[in-house]
Amino acid sequence: MTITPLDPWIKAKIGQHEGKKLSAEKLYRYQTDRLREVIDYVRRKSPFYRKHLAGVPEDFLSCPKDITRLPFTTEADLRGQCLDMLCVSQSDISRIVTLFSSGSTAAPKRLFFTDEDLELTVDFFHHGMTTLTDPKSRVMIFMPGKKPGSIGDLLKKGLMRMNSVGFAYGPVTDSDDAMDALLKFKPHCLVGLPVQMLGLARHPGKTGIPEGLIKSILLSADYVPASIVAELESSLNVTVYEHYGMTEMGLGGGVQCRHREGYHLREADLFFEVIDPQTGQPQIDGRTGEVVFTTLTRRGMPLVRYRTGDLAKFLQGSCPCGTSLRRMGKVKGRISGAAKRVWTV
Ligand SMILES: [Zn+2]
């Protein structure tokens, strides 16, 4: 039984010094405090939230569940009012991500991150990657990585902290070139989109990969078909892990542990809910609904009750790894009408 590395990481982040494992009670109290803080912070700093949360009494929140009394934020807010959602001056922003929706003429969504916000993501990538790759390994990243603050760049920084080397090759556009680069770099772990990784697994050049070299693959996408996981595992003799995240979450949201029975979530940085998409009320535990989250630690542009459009559920019962962290089941799709996700470069 290997407990998820997210357990000791979150335990340290919330300042729990006693006990061997993360305490659910401590995490509950930590999340209550952070939620109070972030609501107070956005009301003081952001013109959007001042209006959006007008009429909400001070000190209304005595437990995380009370957050359900607040209105949601949506993609439309990110399209139309992103500057008013900022809580710091633009000179304090080090990364702006612009997300266009494919096949839509709607204004793009914009997300703003400070250096401190990006550091939170690097820290998550560092600890999340220890789930699936050993220190001193080589990790080939088939995700955008040229720009500072891009997913590949932040993942490389996280890997450096475990004495590993990341190579941000970028998305696969030419599979011959990608296979050549892979054979030269000799990675122990691959990170990429499901269909692109499948393309590499079916490429004739894969016979040149030394037996047992690649041990794991991390797939990042909003939906990962089980058939792709099965083919990758049998064809390359690897273990496939899945990551759940989106730019709005600060790229990272959660990752499977070695038992691969749901995602463990970044619960010290993000507070997750699952709601009934029709009524907006909290979904009954164990039923699929829309994933909603609130950022607990971001400073540039915090999001309060952001509706992701993703459909998933909290898994009941505890994970065999032994953590008290919650588990979210695989994303089953998007609610109708929600824009398709787009990866940024
Ligand atoms: Zn687990």
Side-chain angles (χ1 to χ4, degrees), residues 174-237:
D174 172 344
S175 59
D176 293 342
D177 185 74
M179 182 53 78
D180 282 351
L182 187 155
L183 293 172
K184 277 192 198 118
F185 183 62
K186 297 188 172 57
H188 305 109
C189 171
L190 312 180
V191 180
L193 300 176
V195 172
Q196 298 193 353
M197 296 304 94
L198 193 61
L200 290 178
R202 289 176 177 173
H203 192 281
K206 78 151 188 179
T207 51
I209 303 171
E211 188 70 32
L213 174 73
I214 303 175
K215 295 187 174 52
S216 58
I217 297 181
L218 179 66
L219 297 179
S220 201
D222 42 4
Y223 176 66
V224 181
S227 57
I228 292 191
V229 173
E231 184 174 339
L232 284 173
E233 293 201 328
S234 64
S235 158
L236 293 173
N237 195 21

Side-chain angles (χ1 to χ4, degrees), residues 119-133:
E119 164 57 29
L120 294 168
T121 299
V122 172
D123 192 32
F124 168 62
F125 283 166
H126 166 204
H127 291 89
M129 287 303 289
T130 60
T131 305
L132 61 141
T133 189

Side-chain angles (χ1 to χ4, degrees), residues 9-291:
W9 174 59
I10 290 177
K11 180 172 174 275
K13 273 177 77 96
I14 69 169
Q16 182 195 331
H17 305 296
E18 73 289 355
K20 277 199 180 133
K21 286 196 305 190
L22 174 72
S23 145
E25 171 63 27
K26 282 262 185 199
L27 181 61
Y28 178 88
R29 267 185 270 146
Y30 166 93
Q31 288 179 331
T32 306
D33 291 346
R34 291 294 88 72
L35 285 170
R36 273 199 203 117
E37 249 171 40
V38 75
I39 292 159
D40 177 59
Y41 175 74
V42 296
R43 287 172 116 174
R44 282 188 290 111
K45 303 282 187 181
S46 140
F48 167 83
Y49 283 111
R50 206 168 297 135
K51 263 190 260 164
H52 191 64
L53 302 178
V56 174
E58 303 268 324
D59 300 329
F60 76 98
L61 192 137
S62 58
C63 68
K65 199 166 56 118
D66 290 340
I67 190 117
T68 59
R69 291 164 62 185
L70 297 186
F72 297 110
T73 51
T74 64
E75 290 199 342
D77 298 326
L78 293 182
R79 291 184 202 287
Q81 304 188 64
C82 55
L83 285 177
D84 279 352
M85 291 173 91
L86 268 185
C87 288
V88 296
S89 80
Q90 286 195 56
S91 59
D92 291 326
I93 294 295
S94 48
R95 167 94 168 131
I96 303 172
V97 183
T98 305
L99 297 164
F100 295 91
S101 295
S102 57
S104 161
T105 53
K109 292 189 278 187
R110 287 214 164 81
L111 279 304
F112 295 73
F113 300 92
T114 64
D115 275 340
E116 293 76 17
D117 296 337
L118 296 175
E119 164 57 29
L120 294 168
T121 299
V122 172
D123 192 32
F124 168 62
F125 283 166
H126 166 204
H127 291 89
M129 287 303 289
T130 60
T131 305
L132 61 141
T133 189
D134 295 329
K136 298 185 185 162
S137 52
R138 287 187 301 278
V139 179
M140 192 153 175
I141 307 160
F142 293 96
M143 308 284 269
K146 289 209 172 81
K147 286 187 187 166
S150 59
I151 189 162
D153 177 55
L154 299 176
L155 190 47
K156 265 169 49 180
K157 287 182 175 150
L159 287 163
M160 275 167 64
R161 295 180 187 180
M162 52 186 287
N163 296 316
S164 291
V165 180
F167 167 30
Y169 173 85
V172 180
T173 50
D174 172 344
S175 59
D176 293 342
D177 185 74
M179 182 53 78
D180 282 351
L182 187 155
L183 293 172
K184 277 192 198 118
F185 183 62
K186 297 188 172 57
H188 305 109
C189 171
L190 312 180
V191 180
L193 300 176
V195 172
Q196 298 193 353
M197 296 304 94
L198 193 61
L200 290 178
R202 289 176 177 173
H203 192 281
K206 78 151 188 179
T207 51
I209 303 171
E211 188 70 32
L213 174 73
I214 303 175
K215 295 187 174 52
S216 58
I217 297 181
L218 179 66
L219 297 179
S220 201
D222 42 4
Y223 176 66
V224 181
S227 57
I228 292 191
V229 173
E231 184 174 339
L232 284 173
E233 293 201 328
S234 64
S235 158
L236 293 173
N237 195 21
V238 297
T239 306
V240 172
Y241 295 86
E242 293 174 42
H243 166 257
Y244 173 51
M246 57 169 61
T247 307
E248 290 92 321
M249 287 173 192
L251 299 166
V255 68
Q256 292 177 330
C257 72
R258 297 224 167 197
H259 295 274
R260 298 184 294 160
E261 294 185 20
Y263 305 109
H264 292 305
L265 303 163
R266 281 173 75 182
E267 293 197 62
D269 290 320
L270 302 167
F271 179 74
F272 283 90
E273 302 169 63
V274 173
I275 61 154
D276 178 328
Q278 256 77 49
T279 65
Q281 293 302 307
Q283 186 58 288
I284 297 163
D285 257 358
R287 285 210 194 153
T288 297
E290 183 177 358
V291 179

Side-chain angles (χ1 to χ4, degrees), residues 257 264 319 321 323:
C257 72
H264 292 305
C319 182
C321 81
T323 182

Side-chain angles (χ1 to χ4, degrees), residues 322-343:
T323 182
S324 56
L325 286 168
R326 290 192 292 180
R327 291 176 300 155
M328 186 172 280
K330 280 192 180 202
V331 173
K332 303 269 192 221
R334 305 269 292 153
I335 59 167
S336 59
K340 203 173 173 328
R341 293 248 213 93
V342 183
W343 288 98

